[in-house]
Structure formats: structure tokens, C-alpha cells
Amino acid sequence: MKNFLTIIACVFIGFSMQAQTPDAGLHKAIVAAKTKDAVKLTPEQLEPYVGGYEIQPGFVLNIFVKNGVLMSQATNQDAFEMIAKGNHKFMPVAFPANLTFIADENGNFTSMLLEQGGQEMEAKKIETKE
């Protein structure tokens, strides 16, 4: 009986672990849902967002256009595709977050609001070295 219970426990743990394994199909469904109401912007329309936004000293979120898609890349991290949601709001395909770009009175984007993990952080646009 003890061996039987051990086997049942191992099977249950195995199923639990499998349920926590990332599912490529699930990820594709989440990305499809995110892109459903995406706003299509041209590379020219994306260009004003381009630049470095300093989240904290030494930690910059670089925004750039690659193959007609807006991308974001934080210091020492991978780059991620961004989806336009309208009204200067974007969200990364890879993880839950929102970026809202803020323009000055002349229409130039001078900062960005990053919402992620229940926190909001404003990042000022800075001069970056190419």
C-alpha cells in the first residue's frame, strides 16, 4: 500500500510540474489576443518614439525601429517587439507591461511611463550614444 501511495504521489507531482511548463500554444494564443486590437503604424509614424529613456541612472530603455516594428531593449537585456495600442500606448509581446509615451507642448516625446508588475515608473528621454 505504501508503494502504491508513493506512485500516486509521484504521478500527481509529475502532472503538476507539467502544468507549470511553458506551453508554446498558450503563448501564441496570448500574443494573438494582444495583437487583436493592435494599431498598425508605419516606420515613419514610429520614428518619433525612438530614443533612450532613463528608468534610473545606468538603466535605460532603448526604443528603436527594426524591420518596421517598434522594439524595446533595456540595458543588458534582450530586445522585444512592441504592439501599438493607440494614443501613444504600446505593450511588449513577450511580457505584461504598458508603455505610454508623453509629449511636450511641441509634440516631441520627452518621457515615457512604464507600467509593470503593479508599479509605474516615469523615464525621461535622454541623449544616447549610437
Side-chain angles (χ1 to χ4, degrees):
M1 181 67 170
K2 186 177 179 182
N3 287 340
F4 178 72
L5 291 176
T6 302
I7 291 170
I8 295 296
C10 289
V11 169
F12 179 74
I13 290 169
F15 282 127
S16 295
M17 290 177 68
Q18 185 176 9
Q20 295 176 5
T21 303
D23 180 356
L26 176 61
H27 179 69
K28 286 181 183 177
I30 291 169
V31 170
K34 284 182 176 182
T35 58
K36 181 181 168 193
D37 355 324
V39 176
K40 188 71 177 162
L41 298 174
T42 66
E44 293 78 22
Q45 291 171 307
L46 296 172
E47 196 62 36
Y49 301 105
V50 170
Y53 296 83
E54 188 174 48
I55 295 171
Q56 62 185 25
F59 191 70
V60 176
L61 185 63
N62 287 302
I63 305 297
F64 59 96
V65 178
K66 181 178 179 182
N67 299 324
V69 175
L70 196 69
M71 306 286 291
S72 66
Q73 184 172 22
T75 303
N76 298 321
Q77 296 185 19
D78 293 332
F80 296 103
E81 179 181 343
M82 303 293 291
I83 299 170
K85 300 302 277 184
N87 203 23
H88 311 300
K89 293 179 188 276
F90 292 82
M91 63 189 310
V93 171
F95 54 91
N98 289 301
L99 278 73
T100 304
F101 291 88
I102 303 164
D104 64 13
E105 61 278 353
N106 298 319
N108 299 314
F109 294 105
T110 56
S111 63
M112 173 207 58
L113 183 64
L114 170 64
E115 300 171 77
Q116 183 179 15
Q119 295 183 15
E120 290 185 357
M121 296 167 272
E122 187 170 353
K124 299 286 182 195
K125 193 171 191 178
I126 61 168
E127 295 292 323
T128 56
K129 298 174 188 167
E130 300 280 331

